[in-house]
Amino acid sequence: MRIVPLVKQVVDVDQVKADADGNIQTQGVPFKISNYDKNGVEAAVRIKEKNPGTEIVALATGPNIKEGVKEVLAMGCDKAFVINSSEFKGSDTLASSRVIAAAIQKMGGADLIIGGEGSLDAYTGFLGPRLSMRLGIPIVTYAVGLEVQGNLAKVRSNVGGILEDFEVPLPCIVTVSEEINQPRLPALIQILQAGKKPTQEWKLSDVGLSADAVGEAGAGVKILKNQAPKMERKRVRIKGTPEEAAEQLVQALRKEGVF
Amino acid sequence: MGDVLVTAPDAEHGYELLAQAGPLAAQVGGKVVYAALGDQAAQAKEFATRGAHRVLTCSDPALTPYQTEPYTEAYLQLIEKVKPSIVLIGATIRSKDAAARVATKLEVGCGCEIMNLRLDGGRLTGERVYFSGRSLATERLLKDPQIATVPARLVDAPAPQGAGGSVEAVALKLTPPKAKIVKREKKESGSVHLEDADIIVSAGRGIKKKEDLKLAEDLAAALGGQVGCTRPIAADLKWLGDAHWIGLSGHEVKPKAYIGLGVSGQIQHVAGMRSSKIIVAINKDEEAPLVKISDYAVVDDLYKVVPALVQAVKKARGQ
Ligand SMILES: Cc1cc2nc3c(=O)[nH]c(=O)nc-3n(C[C@H](O)[C@H](O)[C@H](O)COP(=O)(O)OP(=O)(O)OC[C@H]3O[C@@H](n4cnc5c(N)ncnc54)[C@H](O)[C@@H]3O)c2cc1C
């Protein structure tokens, strides 16, 4: 069985800041592997532990992905294909799903593709469903449980208060929520070995795509601007003893018509 | 030119989308067409009197419960039939999957949980949460049909009016899904419906022990509100169920008043409550982000302030 975890390197969203005009600046912000993708890698490694003979091939994209992919190789992926995302900058999921689908076909397909429920930066959750359409295979999203038995993936998905248990024939795609597991922290030895695991870098042309299939030319959605949300609040500080503060707060809430 | 096709997994959500579709249809010179699928087929008139010029129904059992594969087929066939220029789909965890799949088949973009929908430069445009809530992106749909998923509770549902538009049953060709649901189980959420609460008292890590949640419960009871919480309280400590969890990965709420008790106000939490009418922070740290985005802040120990507040509220309400 071949499992392909999808791994995206994103800007560390905790470190993006708005400039004086409220425009979000990402320049100079360090990259990291989108956290849900690590849950996906962990899920893959756990399946491999129960199913000897499984091969885990990470498919990773990002601006500095040759370096970044080592983290998931250390977690237990056997090898990786990486595509530098500067080649398809400006892509939405319409365009980036072309790249990922083409890469999966180029590597000879996968029995199980695992992604995160969304990426930390854009968090659409659209890539998995789009891939499922392009590859013509079923998908279950927001998995909180995942096992493989024979030719079936058994997936538990949490859809806001309802748990759905699925049986899905392989090949299929599953995207995972962070409740599914706790991604392992690789030991030093695994980190050192990761550098020696086979990693192949592909260009867009290697997967048979031309530049106009991706980036802004290939996208269906354009981001016009990205701005810090405005929060205009009264910012009244209520002072005094707890009793005085409580009394003032009650008066304020009454004036606001809260009760 | 073209119609606006509207559909949502939940009827109430559908009404709200009809309110948003009306002005768009008027601008593009088309009609509002609502697709009432599955259980909703029986309520077709409800949509017709709330702004749909035309309601298409299909009660095929394959459409209940909501599953990605049959709904992908249904949406594609409806788009083929209506030939809309705009498609609005009520955003839920599952419908977003189907919407993205439909958009892939048609090789077009898909708007994700778009707010403030409008036509700008003749194209469907709106805002969405980006960078884990740190920013709002303004996005534009570049290709036709312009498909967007739209969150619930952005606007009020319109009241029924007049005789309403036409209703027409359509036959859809649906194949059994490959991903089979073998079990479906409702998780216990009790009587909590945060989205409906006028007042939410939200418990954060400033509350030190599970027993101390009583502080939040007492305050909520005195105010006639409900108890919400941050992710660590629900997901890590499991002191409260998922139904109470507010934020990017939890529930999005906009009560008349949100009162945070020992809530730091990290961006992922704020993403779920920033539209609250009044925000109150009770936090001992004046540098806490929630204090900075609050209307009223008491910077003190919640263990001292909350009991006093419960008394003051009770007194004020004559309890
Ligand atoms: C991808 C992602 C998604 C996330 N989604 C969500 C989400 O949906 N919802 C969510 O809530 N979080 C979410 N988080 C987590 C979020 O980043 C914060 O970690 C979390 O909201 C913090 O919870 P808290 O305010 O309860 O705890 P803390 O951040 O620990 O804050 C506790 C606060 O209590 C105050 N305090 C302590 N003692 C007292 C006292 N005696 N009296 C008064 N004040 C006191 C402290 O000053 C502090 O401000 C997400 C994180 C990630 C990475």
Side-chain angles (χ1 to χ4, degrees):
Chain A
M1 174 168 51
R2 174 193 268 177
I3 306 181
V4 175
L6 303 177
V7 176
K8 182 180 179 187
Q9 194 181 41
V10 296
V11 293
D12 184 349
V13 296
D14 287 330
Q15 298 190 43
V16 302
K17 295 229 157 55
D19 65 16
D21 299 326
N23 291 310
I24 294 289
Q25 297 301 333
T26 54
Q27 226 168 16
V29 177
F31 304 115
K32 66 175 206 177
I33 301 296
S34 183
N35 52 349
Y36 305 108
D37 292 353
K38 286 197 209 164
N39 296 101
V41 171
E42 177 67 32
V45 175
R46 290 189 191 187
I47 293 169
K48 177 171 172 157
E49 285 166 354
K50 285 195 189 151
N51 298 270
T54 299
E55 178 195 34
I56 306 180
V57 185
L59 175 54
T61 60
N64 180 24
I65 194 60
K66 258 178 112 167
E67 197 51 40
V69 76
K70 289 183 185 155
E71 195 176 344
V72 298
L73 286 168
M75 284 177 71
C77 297
D78 299 303
K79 59 179 186 183
F81 291 101
V82 302
I83 305 176
N84 193 306
S85 56
S86 55
E87 278 213 77
F88 53 98
K89 205 170 174 301
S91 293
D92 64 347
T93 55
L94 173 67
S96 58
S97 65
R98 291 189 181 113
V99 179
I100 307 295
I104 286 171
Q105 270 152 355
K106 164 99 180 173
M107 68 167 78
D111 298 298
L112 176 60
I113 299 169
I114 308 182
E117 65 175 40
S119 61
L120 262 194
D121 50 357
Y123 194 72
T124 61
F126 285 166
L127 186 81
R130 282 192 181 277
L131 270 185
S132 80
M133 208 63 185
R134 292 205 185 282
L135 300 172
I137 60 179
I139 180 164
V140 178
T141 52
Y142 300 91
V144 293
L146 171 60
E147 275 177 40
V148 175
Q149 277 172 21
N151 199 34
L152 275 187
K154 299 198 162 189
V155 192
R156 166 165 282 196
S157 167
N158 182 357
V159 252
I162 296 175
L163 285 176
E164 292 182 338
D165 287 331
F166 286 89
E167 286 183 359
V168 199
L170 303 182
C172 68
I173 304 182
V174 175
T175 72
V176 301
S177 295
E178 68 175 351
E179 291 90 77
I180 194 171
N181 57 38
Q182 181 74 45
R184 67 195 62 198
L185 292 170
L188 185 63
I189 177 86
Q190 290 162 319
I191 296 171
L192 293 173
Q193 283 165 354
K196 300 194 193 86
K197 290 187 178 178
T199 302
Q200 186 173 347
E201 183 167 8
W202 275 335
K203 300 257 165 247
L204 272 189
S205 51
D206 293 328
V207 299
L209 286 174
S210 59
D212 57 358
V214 299
E216 285 195 17
V221 174
K222 184 180 168 82
I223 297 182
L224 303 178
K225 57 180 181 188
N226 227 330
Q227 284 207 309
K230 288 195 188 68
M231 288 282 258
E232 276 149 17
R233 295 283 172 181
K234 299 195 178 73
R235 299 197 60 181
V236 177
R237 265 285 285 285
I238 294 181
K239 299 197 172 125
T241 65
E243 287 72 24
E244 288 161 5
E247 197 54 49
Q248 288 174 52
L249 186 54
V250 165
Q251 296 311 330
L253 291 178
R254 273 199 138 162
K255 269 229 302 279
E256 297 281 0
V258 172
F259 68 92
Chain B
M1 276 275 285
D3 292 339
V4 180
L5 177 63
V6 182
T7 190
D10 171 75
E12 192 68 24
H13 198 166
Y15 303 154
E16 296 165 9
L17 260 56
L18 286 173
Q20 298 169 74
L24 297 173
Q27 282 181 64
V28 296
K31 288 192 163 56
V32 177
V33 183
Y34 189 86
L37 304 176
D39 294 343
Q40 288 177 22
Q43 307 158 243
K45 262 292 164 204
E46 292 292 324
F47 301 98
T49 55
R50 283 177 163 89
H53 299 111
R54 183 179 172 208
V55 180
L56 303 176
T57 68
C58 180
S59 56
D60 193 313
L63 294 169
T64 312
Y66 197 102
Q67 289 188 77
T68 304
E69 292 170 68
Y71 271 85
T72 304
E73 293 178 322
Y75 294 160
L76 281 168
Q77 289 166 40
L78 289 161
I79 290 171
E80 175 67 32
K81 182 177 169 68
V82 176
K83 303 204 167 30
S85 62
I86 295 175
V87 182
L88 304 183
I89 298 176
T92 65
I93 274 181
R94 286 280 181 261
S95 71
K96 280 171 54 191
D97 295 351
R101 285 161 51 89
V102 167
T104 308
K105 184 79 187 174
L106 302 174
E107 295 288 351
V108 299
C110 189
C112 178
E113 304 192 50
I114 304 288
M115 303 174 284
N116 192 18
L117 281 172
R118 58 194 180 270
L119 287 180
D120 202 341
R123 308 299 302 174
L124 193 63
T125 306
E127 271 75 39
R128 62 172 297 244
V129 175
Y130 214 84
F131 288 135
S132 290
R134 279 189 165 67
S135 98
L136 279 180
T138 302
E139 294 194 337
R140 175 168 298 169
L141 278 299
L142 302 175
K143 299 183 156 100
D144 277 347
Q146 305 163 74
I147 302 176
T149 64
V150 184
R153 285 176 295 279
L154 294 177
V155 301
D156 291 332
Q161 243 183 6
S166 64
V167 176
E168 174 190 338
V170 294
L172 300 172
K173 202 170 155 294
L174 306 171
T175 43
K178 288 191 209 156
K180 286 200 173 50
I181 296 182
V182 291
K183 192 168 147 213
R184 229 169 160 261
E185 192 185 330
K186 226 179 148 69
K187 286 209 286 182
E188 202 47 72
S189 69
S191 55
V192 197
H193 289 287
L194 282 189
E195 283 87 349
D196 302 334
D198 275 342
I199 300 176
I200 294 177
V201 177
S202 178
R205 288 299 310 268
I207 290 178
K208 294 290 174 284
K209 301 198 297 285
K210 187 173 180 191
E211 301 82 78
D212 300 342
L213 280 178
K214 195 164 179 308
L215 290 168
E217 284 157 5
D218 287 352
L219 183 57
L223 287 162
Q226 296 196 24
V227 175
C229 67
T230 60
R231 184 163 85 179
I233 301 287
D236 305 337
L237 299 166
K238 299 196 164 48
W239 291 349
L240 289 169
D242 288 358
H244 298 265
W245 169 350
I246 296 168
L248 188 69
S249 34
H251 294 261
E252 193 173 333
V253 298
K254 45 173 182 181
K256 278 194 204 150
Y258 166 101
I259 305 177
L261 309 182
V263 172
S264 59
Q266 295 305 317
I267 193 79
Q268 296 90 353
H269 184 73
V270 172
M273 46 64 71
R274 72 165 124 240
S275 312
S276 304
K277 192 158 165 279
I278 296 292
I279 296 176
V280 179
I282 300 178
N283 195 309
K284 64 179 183 189
D285 176 10
E286 66 179 321
E287 294 298 319
L290 193 71
V291 170
K292 300 195 165 160
I293 59 151
S294 65
D295 295 288
Y296 300 95
V298 182
V299 177
D300 204 343
D301 183 355
L302 73 91
Y303 282 84
K304 293 187 188 132
V305 177
V306 177
L309 187 55
V310 172
Q311 289 313 314
V313 171
K314 280 186 175 166
K315 201 176 99 201
R317 305 189 84 195
Q319 290 172 350

